[in-house]
Amino acid sequence: MGVAVGGVILDESLLLASNSPQHENPSLQPVADSLLRKLRHSKIPTGISYDVGLSDDKVSLLKRLATLYSFDCFILNESSVDDAKNEIMLAWGDTGGSILYIVSDKKKEFFPKLSNCGWLIVVLRSLGQESAAVTEGGSACENSIMIFINKLEELPSTICHINRKATGNSVATVGYVMKSSREEDFAKRGAFPLYPTQNGLMFMPLTFELPLSPQLQEVDVVLHKATDEIMSIELKSRTNFSNRIVYTSGMQDLQRYLEDHPDCCVIDSFNNIYPVLDRLEIQEILLRLEDLKTEGHSTIRGPHFLKVDSFKEPDLLQRMSEAKLSLPSIVKPQVACGVANAHKMAIIFRNEDFKDLSVPLPAVVQEYVDHSSTLYKFYVLGEKVFYAVKKSTPNADILMKLSESNGLKPLVFDSLKSLPTAKEDQNYDNDNCSKASNSCVDLDLVTDAANWLRGVLDLTIFGFDVVIQEGTCDHVIVDVNYLPSFKEVPDDIAIPAFWEAIKKKFELKRFGEVTEWTDKPTVKVAVTADAPALVKLVEERLMDS
């Protein structure tokens, strides 16, 4: 086994664009920002090196980058290798691994000076050079390992390859793919370290800019947010759902790879996420919550609903009545995520509101539940369940006043951006919510529902929203989603639970499938105030029966 990467030094030759005209300000290579963002949250100390002869404006740019990404800057040239090593030791101390120095092959004359430094050397080949290769003990750097890469995008996978080689089979590598903004949100919370976690996971970003198969051969687990890569969904057809979704070419490649390699652990299967893309299918699944009814507990259910293909259907009102729907109701697109306007919704108060309604079709008309402006967001991470209490839309009477002030028009909104609210909502009170939320929500009931959903959907990480109906105390699940951000849960609790969920899924896949969950949960509650909304956390620990 080799030595893990304990620190990363990026030479200026691979960060700065080399084709900038002399009279223009220096600029970065196109992929440099993306790489720096990944390294910032990698849990590996990172620095930028430059030669003393570099122009002042370029040095200034590099120092600004170092400050922005919390990196260090070091002067490194042919005569200062020993000095740089000392500076790095003072800045980082004992990193527990080797320094990985990444440099462009344009600095070939510098390589012999590094032969006795004990560093691992990664060389970025210039365009037109030979394909990537790995050589150990090369003549240019006899006491180092020289690794040649063709693109800067290969660096994260190169680091994971070195760390995997150093740790052997004791660490599982998780390859992940999602849109950059989502990746950044997870990474800045410490979720995606390139260095092994305490429970033996290491995270490697997958990129569609490089051939996918060689990347996937380096990983044990694939974590994806496939909905970030949807181009279109056709719901009018009754064919298999998988045939109605068009993904980007990169995601299609990943899907084909996983189909050809059924032994690969994936979180989660494409087939398993399809129900959460279709609000109608989720509603039909929630009908089966009827099986969880027990004496002495509140009812947990989905809202009453009706699928609508046209808002001009002559018998629409009769069908709504048969579906136990009354006004006001909320209208949502049947497609739940992944495409434009999937979150464009409307609350309607009159029959004529359906005329010229702009919600995309097909749509689902859903019961609007008066819930005192209180929403419970539940997050399921493997065997653990968390929730947060958040402010939501007001009751129907207040919404009606909002509609009247808007000329009695439907309240149309994007649920990802804003929700209909009142300036003064007497139904929501932070202090009252703080005192009553534990007594309002039946945690045993909802955790039973969470376990039931986990079994039915066969998802590892998902979320669902619950509102409690005034009067009946029915617990109504109004939304289910895959791989949520769970950002309301404190990072020091959520991220270890996130890692544990992934590790457990991998171990189950590796050592044998579990067909059902039989452990009985107990619930532990911790409360913290997070104005203006009260945030609560429930951690479900499965104990032996």
Side-chain angles (χ1 to χ4, degrees), residues 266-293:
V266 56
I267 300 175
D268 278 302
S269 164
F270 280 70
N271 288 332
N272 294 358
I273 69 171
Y274 292 145
V276 300
L277 304 183
D278 186 343
R279 287 192 173 97
L280 178 63
E281 185 168 352
I282 278 293
Q283 292 285 170
E284 291 171 344
I285 288 173
L286 293 177
L287 288 174
R288 293 153 55 190
L289 284 168
E290 180 79 16
D291 298 339
L292 294 183
K293 276 190 175 181

Side-chain angles (χ1 to χ4, degrees), residues 269-518:
S269 164
F270 280 70
N271 288 332
N272 294 358
I273 69 171
Y274 292 145
V276 300
L277 304 183
D278 186 343
R279 287 192 173 97
L280 178 63
E281 185 168 352
I282 278 293
Q283 292 285 170
E284 291 171 344
I285 288 173
L286 293 177
L287 288 174
R288 293 153 55 190
L289 284 168
E290 180 79 16
D291 298 339
L292 294 183
K293 276 190 175 181
T294 57
E295 187 175 350
H297 284 275
S298 302
T299 295
I300 189 162
R301 62 179 178 87
H304 304 310
F305 69 96
L306 176 69
K307 179 186 176 182
V308 176
D309 292 313
S310 170
F311 296 129
K312 297 180 181 179
E313 293 179 14
D315 60 346
L316 178 57
L317 298 181
Q318 179 182 343
R319 292 180 61 218
M320 287 180 60
S321 177
E322 293 171 352
K324 301 180 180 179
L325 288 169
S326 58
L327 300 179
S329 291
I330 184 168
V331 185
K332 304 178 179 180
Q334 185 177 341
V335 179
C337 60
V339 297
N341 294 327
H343 299 277
K344 185 175 184 179
M345 305 177 184
I347 299 174
I348 57 173
F349 303 90
R350 305 174 303 163
N351 297 337
E352 52 267 38
D353 286 347
F354 284 106
K355 182 180 179 181
D356 300 323
L357 194 62
S358 59
V359 175
L361 291 166
V364 174
V365 181
Q366 196 177 85
E367 168 192 14
Y368 188 83
V369 177
D370 278 348
H371 55 287
S372 303
S373 298
T374 305
L375 178 74
Y376 298 84
K377 297 190 71 68
F378 281 83
Y379 301 109
V380 181
L381 280 69
E383 299 175 1
K384 295 183 178 178
V385 178
F386 307 91
Y387 80 86
V389 185
K390 301 195 70 177
K391 186 173 182 178
S392 180
T393 53
N395 284 356
D397 56 342
I398 297 177
L399 289 174
M400 179 66 78
K401 294 178 181 177
L402 287 174
S403 177
E404 290 173 353
S405 66
N406 192 35
L408 296 177
K409 295 179 181 179
L411 299 177
V412 181
F413 60 96
D414 186 320
S415 62
L416 286 183
K417 298 177 181 178
S418 63
L419 297 174
T421 58
K423 291 182 179 179
E424 294 182 1
D425 184 358
Q426 288 83 11
N427 287 330
Y428 186 88
D429 183 277
N430 282 333
D431 293 334
N432 289 338
C433 181
S434 175
K435 296 175 183 177
S437 57
N438 278 340
S439 59
C440 288
V441 62
D442 187 331
L443 295 178
D444 288 340
L445 178 68
V446 181
T447 49
D448 283 347
N451 286 323
W452 182 84
L453 281 170
R454 181 176 55 201
V456 171
L457 299 174
D458 193 15
L459 294 176
T460 308
I461 301 169
F462 65 97
F464 59 96
D465 296 345
V466 174
V467 297
I468 300 178
Q469 187 174 38
E470 287 191 357
T472 67
C473 286
D474 283 1
H475 290 47
V476 185
I477 298 178
V478 295
D479 190 27
V480 181
N481 53 83
Y482 167 66
L483 194 59
S485 67
F486 47 87
K487 59 186 177 182
E488 292 87 0
V489 184
D491 295 343
D492 60 341
I493 298 174
I495 300 307
F498 174 68
W499 293 340
E500 183 180 337
I502 295 172
K503 184 67 177 291
K504 185 67 176 288
K505 178 64 178 287
F506 170 65
E507 290 175 342
L508 289 174
K509 180 73 174 180
R510 186 177 184 182
F511 299 113
E513 296 290 343
V514 173
T515 57
E516 62 180 352
W517 300 97
T518 58

Side-chain angles (χ1 to χ4, degrees), residues 126-339:
S126 302
L127 291 176
Q129 297 297 317
E130 297 177 356
S131 61
V134 178
T135 61
E136 296 193 13
S139 59
C141 207
E142 295 180 359
N143 296 324
S144 300
I145 298 176
M146 293 194 67
I147 301 174
F148 294 89
I149 61 176
N150 289 328
K151 293 184 176 182
L152 206 51
E153 294 96 327
E154 297 175 45
L155 182 58
S157 61
T158 301
I159 294 174
C160 285
H161 175 83
I162 295 170
N163 286 340
R164 184 184 180 95
K165 186 176 179 181
T167 55
N169 295 326
S170 62
V171 171
T173 303
V174 182
Y176 64 90
V177 58
M178 57 190 66
K179 65 183 180 181
S180 58
S181 59
R182 194 183 311 279
E183 177 187 359
E184 176 76 5
D185 180 65
F186 274 100
K188 69 184 180 182
R189 296 158 63 196
F192 294 151
L194 289 171
Y195 196 81
T197 64
Q198 292 180 346
N199 69 334
L201 293 180
M202 182 169 57
F203 289 81
M204 186 182 100
L206 301 173
T207 174
F208 297 143
E209 301 300 318
L210 299 171
L212 198 56
S213 182
Q215 298 177 70
L216 291 169
Q217 292 172 17
E218 293 284 339
V219 307
D220 303 291
V221 182
V222 173
L223 173 71
H224 69 87
K225 183 76 170 180
T227 54
D228 288 343
E229 298 289 331
I230 292 176
M231 298 182 67
S232 64
I233 301 179
E234 175 56 65
L235 290 182
K236 294 182 180 179
S237 168
R238 298 303 299 174
T239 59
N240 187 292
F241 202 101
S242 62
N243 298 326
R244 293 181 272 159
I245 299 178
V246 178
Y247 292 107
T248 60
S249 59
M251 190 56 68
Q252 290 180 45
D253 289 343
L254 176 59
Q255 188 176 23
R256 282 191 293 268
Y257 180 93
L258 295 174
E259 290 172 352
D260 294 339
H261 298 79
D263 292 337
C264 180
C265 178
V266 56
I267 300 175
D268 278 302
S269 164
F270 280 70
N271 288 332
N272 294 358
I273 69 171
Y274 292 145
V276 300
L277 304 183
D278 186 343
R279 287 192 173 97
L280 178 63
E281 185 168 352
I282 278 293
Q283 292 285 170
E284 291 171 344
I285 288 173
L286 293 177
L287 288 174
R288 293 153 55 190
L289 284 168
E290 180 79 16
D291 298 339
L292 294 183
K293 276 190 175 181
T294 57
E295 187 175 350
H297 284 275
S298 302
T299 295
I300 189 162
R301 62 179 178 87
H304 304 310
F305 69 96
L306 176 69
K307 179 186 176 182
V308 176
D309 292 313
S310 170
F311 296 129
K312 297 180 181 179
E313 293 179 14
D315 60 346
L316 178 57
L317 298 181
Q318 179 182 343
R319 292 180 61 218
M320 287 180 60
S321 177
E322 293 171 352
K324 301 180 180 179
L325 288 169
S326 58
L327 300 179
S329 291
I330 184 168
V331 185
K332 304 178 179 180
Q334 185 177 341
V335 179
C337 60
V339 297

Side-chain angles (χ1 to χ4, degrees), residues 6-7 45 72 74 84-99:
D72 293 294
F74 304 105
K85 289 178 65 176
N86 291 333
E87 285 189 40
I88 293 169
M89 177 62 72
L90 289 173
W92 297 346
D94 184 3
T95 62
S98 180
I99 299 300

